[in-house]
Each structure stands twice: as structure tokens, then as C-alpha cells.
Amino acid sequence: MDNKEIILDVKNLCTTFVSDQKEIRIVKNVSFQLKRGSALAVVGESGCGKSVTMNSIMRFLGRNARVTADSIQYNALRDGKVTEYHLESIKKPHGPEMRSLRGPEMSMVFQDPMSSLNPVYKVGDQVAESLIQHFHLKKAEARQRVLEMFRKLGIPDPEERIDCYPHQFSGGMKQRVVIAIAMICNPELIICDEPTTALDVTIQAQIMELLKDMQVKDGKSIILITHNMGLVAEMADEVCVMYMGRVVEFGSLEDVFDRTSHPYTKALLRSVPVLGLADGQKLETIPGSTPNPADLKPGCEFADRCEFACDKCRGKDIPAYEISPGHRVRCVLYDTYPRAAGEEEVGI
């Protein structure tokens, strides 16, 4: 694929945190591509590295984080021409170069709208801030753009609500305001970190419908971080399954749901409640517990919880194998298949 078809290309992303003079690897050689105008779901248990991966791409991490990668390439498409940005080479995460991309090109919807909004500023001013900063609009013009966005997102009485404070909004309305902040500069890439957490199912459906409309009607590219497999089935074109900082399975929605291959992905799907579950039938759980990332040993991180574990799973890290075009699995059960591109070099 050429750069016009791929909006984000991540190769061997690693993120390490320094704590008490000890280095802890949280994200390990993560690689994926996001097709322009498509939706990618990143799934896994809490603590598997989903949010850290996306914050590493957006360069939102603190000073104790060290981010390295062969490449984090964002391809901006303007007037039919592609401009490449190599995010891994930007030395100042909070400098002007990165700030110029956040908002107009790529944005993030954070997990908790309660902590994403400043309680002492009117919501309209918070949404308009990016317009004024990036496009130098006057306040009156920025206000009209915010009103248009509020109408698009279904916020009732926008002329009145634009001058309200966050505490005057419900949880669902706060989340719409957070989405408005992410969308107001019309970015091409939107990263959504658990956008429906703590919302009731009706509001969840409304928020997901908004995001799907942005993808389908406006051609936006979306990365959805979630542990809700129902949202994945509804939203995603491709799925990236993570466990302990690694991508253990990657493929199309059909690959991951209908041709599930990694033992962890299978266990994850078996633990999801489904309609028609017989009375008294219990959901399956994944045995064991998530290991401490500071005490990990070489080999498959899932080995101690896997029913198929063998000696080959331990002692050395496991590469990803391409079991069908675009469907990659990091498991020795598939070691007769060719290694995925790039795995030979990095020795994952």
C-alpha cells in the first residue's frame, strides 16, 4: 500500500518507564498500520498497554517515559499530496512541531470526561481554545464554529449550553463536549480511549453512533481503545489484541472474531457475556493473574495462564507469524507459518 492508503504506520514501538532507578518495559515492539478512513480497535485486559501505546504515539507521556521506535509515521493528505511526519524523531514532545499536529491532524478523546474538562472554564471556551490557537480565529468566529459542532454532536440548546460550566452537564453530555474538543479542528485521525466508560448503555450507543458517523460520513480514521468486545464487533474494521505490552494477534474483524487463533484471544472472547446464556451457566474466566511487568521473564507472557503452553514458549521471546494475509499471531502453535514482516530483524 502507498502512503495515501495508510494514515499511521507504527514499527517496533517500545515504551519504558524509569522508576526507582529501575527500567520497566511496558510496550514491547508494537507494530501496526491504520488504513485511511478505517477503524482499528485495540483490545485487552486493563494494564495490557493499550493506553500507553497510544499516549506514546501522541507523545503525552511524562519525563520518566522513554519512547523508541523504528518508525512512527503519520501521513497527512492535503490536496492529494502526502506529507510524512516521523513522530519518533520529534525531540520535544511538547514543542511547536508536535503541537502543530495535535488538533489539526490528530486528536485524542480521553477516557474520563470528568477529569478532561476544566471545571472553572465555560465548555464553549474550552472547545474554542484549539481554534484560536491553531487557526488564529477571532472569538466570535470560533464561537460560531463551536455552536456548529455542538449541533452536529446533538447537544441540545447549543446557544445556551455553550456558556455553561462542566458541572451543569450530564456524563453523556460531558463526553460529547470532550469529543467536540477533539473534533473542532477537523483532524483526520481520532484516538478514543475508552470513550464510553461509566456511561449507561443508551448513552454508550449514542456516542458510538457519533464516532461511526464520523468514520463513515466524514472519512475519519479512528483508533478505539476498549475492553468491550461488543463495541469492537460494532465499530472495528481491524482488531489489535494486546497482552502485557505486546500485540499477540492482529487482523480484520472477521479474522479475529471468526478465525480466532491466539489462546489469549480465544480466552478473552469466551469470557464475554452473550445473549442466550443458559440459566446457571457461568462465564469462563482466564486462569491465573496478570504478571507483574517488572518481573517478566523471556518467552511468551501468557504462558503461565495458557492451556497449550510447552517448553518452546519459555526461554526466548516469540515472534509473530502471518497465518493468512494481514492476520498475525504471536504463538508457537503457528511456528510452521512464515514470520510476519520485520520479525526476523528485531528478534521479538
Side-chain angles (χ1 to χ4, degrees), residues 293-304:
D295 299 326
L296 287 177
K297 301 175 182 176
C300 176
E301 289 85 353
F302 190 60
D304 290 339

Side-chain angles (χ1 to χ4, degrees), residues 102-118:
R102 296 193 199 111
E105 289 292 342
M106 51 204 302
S107 63
M108 193 162 182
V109 178
F110 293 97
Q111 182 171 356
D112 182 11
M114 313 296 181
S115 60
S116 300
L117 297 173
N118 192 320

Side-chain angles (χ1 to χ4, degrees), residues 247-310:
V247 177
V248 295
E249 186 162 0
F250 185 98
S252 67
L253 183 67
E254 293 75 17
D255 284 336
V256 175
F257 273 59
D258 299 335
R259 294 177 287 277
T260 316
S261 300
H262 196 280
Y264 173 67
T265 312
K266 292 178 180 179
L268 199 63
L269 290 173
R270 287 197 301 266
S271 67
V272 175
V274 294
L275 288 173
L277 197 67
D279 285 346
Q281 183 179 346
K282 294 183 178 180
L283 288 173
E284 291 191 37
T285 59
I286 302 175
S289 58
T290 306
N292 185 336
D295 299 326
L296 287 177
K297 301 175 182 176
C300 176
E301 289 85 353
F302 190 60
D304 290 339
R305 306 175 72 184
C306 180
E307 59 183 311
F308 303 104
C310 61

Side-chain angles (χ1 to χ4, degrees), residues 10 29 47 80-81 119 129-130 160 175 182 202 231 257 287 292 307:
V10 179
N29 298 101
K81 296 182 180 180
E129 184 179 359
S130 292
E160 179 181 339
Q175 191 62 287
T202 303
L231 295 183
F257 273 59
N292 185 336
E307 59 183 311

Side-chain angles (χ1 to χ4, degrees), residues 111-113 171 175 193-200 204 225 227 231:
Q111 182 171 356
D112 182 11
Q175 191 62 287
D193 189 355
E194 301 277 9
T196 59
T197 297
L199 301 180
D200 64 55
Q204 280 188 28
I225 303 171
H227 59 263
L231 295 183

